[in-house]
Amino acid sequence: MSDKAVVILSGGLDSTTCMAVAADEGFEIYALTFDYGQRHRREVDCARRVAEHFGAREHRIVQLDLLQHIGGSSLTDSRMEIPSGETGEEIPNTYVPGRNLIFLSLAASFAEVVGARAIFIGVSAVDYSGYPDCRPEFIEAVNRVLRVGTRAGTRSEPIEIRTPLIRLSKAETVKLGHRLGAPYHLTTSCYRGGERACGVCDSCRLRLKGFREAGIIDPIPYEERPADLS
Amino acid sequence: MSDKAVVILSGGLDSTTCMAVAADEGFEIYALTFDYGQRHRREVDCARRVAEHFGAREHRIVQLDLLQHIGGSSLTDSRMEIPSGETGEEIPNTYVPGRNLIFLSLAASFAEVVGARAIFIGVSAVDYSGYPDCRPEFIEAVNRVLRVGTRAGTRSEPIEIRTPLIRLSKAETVKLGHRLGAPYHLTTSCYRGGERACGVCDSCRLRLKGFREAGIIDPIPYEERPADLS
């Protein structure tokens, strides 16, 4: 019997690559998608198609209204403006406070219930846009929490968070996914969530830059491809 | 201006005592209650009255359907039986997988948005019913996560989890709350959530035992007070 893994799946490039890694390692996949009122809700539809593509055993789509109620991020608060242009040193306002910890907590609960031993999450500390909860120290700290704070952990069968992309640049991620046959044509990464990806938000720019540097054509359509990335 | 604290408030004995401690220390209180389809939903009404009693600046009541969807605990899964009688060595099936981590993650997000520096949670490692996520090691591990994984943490103003009850027995908790004027008449602890507390579930027994050992009368009405605890 295959080992089970919970894969946090947004429907974007990174989480889809993560799922390709989990599938390649032979895990039985339990996909988990959070619908937290993000503007790029189109991602949820993408997630559905990606989970289906990989034959996930289950796909839970969890409504998380709290992030919307709590606010504080331009991805969930329509009064804030989504930044365009280069990623700087500052933590951008697309940061949802504590988002990855919330996601991992819920994933751990799901993992404990279905008996999964691994949780895959597609964070990267390289092209991480300045989010503090994408760094290895953070993941390591959460792994320690799972060792001491879950029933599985107290039975010496801890649930382990797996981050296959954490040391990869976007280009390396694209190459990895391409090699594993990740269905990038089913994904989207745009923060704006229009019919076609906008091509100019931070997330589109990172993605396009990754494909360009990997020497691979991004199969999804864009409104616009910035001159420096086309 | 007072410092702000998020207080996780169930409407039970422990969280109400916690709120009394936070109020006594002069914090401006942001109450946070999770309505996760627990059978003892009556607690949510109690939480409302307790938050009002303390003049909380805000009281968020967050629907968390996920725990219900994920199942795995007799508190949220109506197909499982709630255990009666003495608490044993085993982790009981009233354990909701990863519950405190989910609660703390969401509290941290709330704290980051309102600018609170402390999160109060009423866990106790003494009468902890065998839950792995009530131990000091667990809280310490989560504090580390908050130091490395939040924006506040990266600015060297970490959000700290405060657990004033962690080394207190139930009797000591009752004495502390009594001294601080905690409104125990507004609380309930019963897992069954009937009109009156049942008096026989694990939670009622722990509470009654605590009051008895503290030499204080529990002000709420019970269906039944077990002979050994009356």
Side-chain angles (χ1 to χ4, degrees):
Chain A
M1 210 180 71
S2 306
D3 276 347
K4 297 170 181 172
V6 169
V7 181
I8 297 176
L9 178 70
S10 71
L13 176 79
D14 296 333
S15 64
T16 298
T17 308
C18 247
M19 190 169 277
V21 172
D24 184 63
E25 291 190 19
F27 281 102
E28 182 175 43
I29 290 173
Y30 289 75
L32 182 59
T33 297
F34 299 104
D35 182 358
Y36 57 103
Q38 61 272 60
R39 285 182 185 165
H40 43 314
R41 196 164 186 150
R42 185 172 303 270
E43 282 199 338
V44 176
D45 295 326
C46 292
R48 256 194 216 95
R49 290 191 283 268
V50 171
E52 204 177 320
H53 173 93
F54 283 106
R57 179 87 166 75
E58 265 189 55
H59 184 200
R60 297 272 171 110
I61 297 172
V62 171
Q63 306 295 322
L64 256 191
D65 285 341
L66 181 86
L67 295 185
Q68 207 158 15
H69 296 154
I70 278 184
S73 161
S74 66
L75 291 191
T76 59
D77 187 338
S78 54
R79 291 162 306 181
M80 291 169 81
E81 200 184 334
I82 292 177
S84 295
E86 288 302 315
T87 300
E89 287 297 307
E90 277 286 293
I91 295 174
N93 72 355
T94 48
Y95 168 67
V96 175
R99 193 187 68 167
N100 283 345
L101 182 56
I102 295 172
F103 288 0
L104 289 171
S105 305
L106 294 167
S109 187
F110 188 33
E112 194 148 42
V113 171
V114 301
R117 296 284 293 277
I119 295 167
F120 281 77
I121 183 168
V123 297
S124 167
V126 179
D127 287 336
Y128 79 120
S129 297
Y131 298 160
D133 55 356
C134 291
R135 298 179 301 164
E137 306 91 284
F138 168 74
I139 298 296
E140 222 170 88
V142 180
N143 267 328
R144 173 152 177 77
V145 168
L146 298 186
R147 284 197 295 277
V148 300
T150 62
R151 200 197 307 236
T154 60
R155 289 180 180 156
S156 307
E157 297 164 353
I159 298 158
E160 203 197 356
I161 300 168
R162 301 277 304 273
T163 56
L165 315 182
I166 202 152
R167 305 210 180 272
L168 303 189
S169 69
K170 201 63 97 184
E172 290 167 326
T173 295
V174 169
K175 281 186 199 161
L176 172 64
H178 188 73
R179 185 165 59 77
L180 299 176
Y184 287 144
H185 61 288
L186 302 177
T187 68
T188 183
S189 304
C190 183
Y191 279 155
R192 292 196 159 86
E195 181 77 39
R196 289 156 159 264
C198 74
V200 294
C201 71
D202 279 359
S203 182
C204 277
R205 290 183 64 92
L206 274 172
R207 176 178 170 128
L208 282 166
K209 188 162 167 281
F211 272 96
R212 194 198 48 182
E213 288 174 9
I216 294 168
I217 306 278
D218 186 348
I220 66 167
Y222 284 87
E223 278 300 334
E224 179 182 345
R225 296 200 186 211
D228 57 325
L229 296 176
S230 57
Chain B
M1 211 179 73
S2 307
D3 277 347
K4 297 169 181 173
V6 169
V7 181
I8 297 176
L9 179 69
S10 70
L13 176 80
D14 296 333
S15 64
T16 298
T17 307
C18 248
M19 190 168 278
V21 172
D24 184 61
E25 292 190 18
F27 281 102
E28 182 176 43
I29 291 173
Y30 289 76
L32 182 59
T33 297
F34 299 104
D35 182 358
Y36 55 103
Q38 62 273 60
R39 285 182 185 165
H40 45 313
R41 195 164 186 153
R42 185 172 302 271
E43 282 199 337
V44 176
D45 295 325
C46 291
R48 256 194 216 96
R49 290 191 283 267
V50 170
E52 204 178 318
H53 173 93
F54 283 106
R57 178 88 165 76
E58 265 190 55
H59 184 201
R60 297 274 171 109
I61 298 171
V62 170
Q63 305 296 322
L64 256 192
D65 284 343
L66 179 86
L67 296 186
Q68 208 160 13
H69 296 153
I70 280 184
S73 161
S74 66
L75 291 191
T76 60
D77 187 337
S78 54
R79 289 163 306 182
M80 291 169 80
E81 199 184 334
I82 294 177
S84 296
E86 288 303 315
T87 299
E89 286 298 307
E90 278 286 294
I91 295 176
N93 72 353
T94 49
Y95 167 67
V96 176
R99 194 188 67 167
N100 284 344
L101 182 57
I102 295 171
F103 287 0
L104 288 170
S105 305
L106 293 166
S109 186
F110 188 31
E112 196 149 38
V113 170
V114 302
R117 297 284 294 278
I119 295 167
F120 281 77
I121 183 168
V123 297
S124 168
V126 179
D127 286 336
Y128 78 121
S129 298
Y131 297 160
D133 55 357
C134 292
R135 297 177 303 163
E137 304 92 284
F138 168 74
I139 297 297
E140 222 170 89
V142 180
N143 268 327
R144 175 155 174 76
V145 168
L146 299 185
R147 284 196 297 276
V148 301
T150 63
R151 199 197 305 237
T154 60
R155 290 181 180 156
S156 307
E157 297 163 353
I159 297 158
E160 204 199 356
I161 301 167
R162 302 276 305 272
T163 54
L165 315 183
I166 203 153
R167 304 209 182 272
L168 303 188
S169 68
K170 202 60 101 185
E172 290 166 328
T173 294
V174 169
K175 281 185 198 163
L176 172 64
H178 188 71
R179 184 164 61 74
L180 299 175
Y184 288 145
H185 60 288
L186 302 177
T187 68
T188 183
S189 305
C190 183
Y191 279 153
R192 292 195 161 86
E195 180 76 39
R196 292 157 157 262
C198 74
V200 294
C201 71
D202 279 358
S203 183
C204 277
R205 290 183 64 92
L206 274 173
R207 175 177 171 129
L208 282 167
K209 188 160 166 284
F211 272 97
R212 193 198 50 182
E213 287 173 10
I216 293 167
I217 306 279
D218 186 349
I220 67 168
Y222 284 88
E223 278 299 333
E224 180 182 344
R225 296 200 185 212
D228 56 326
L229 296 175
S230 57

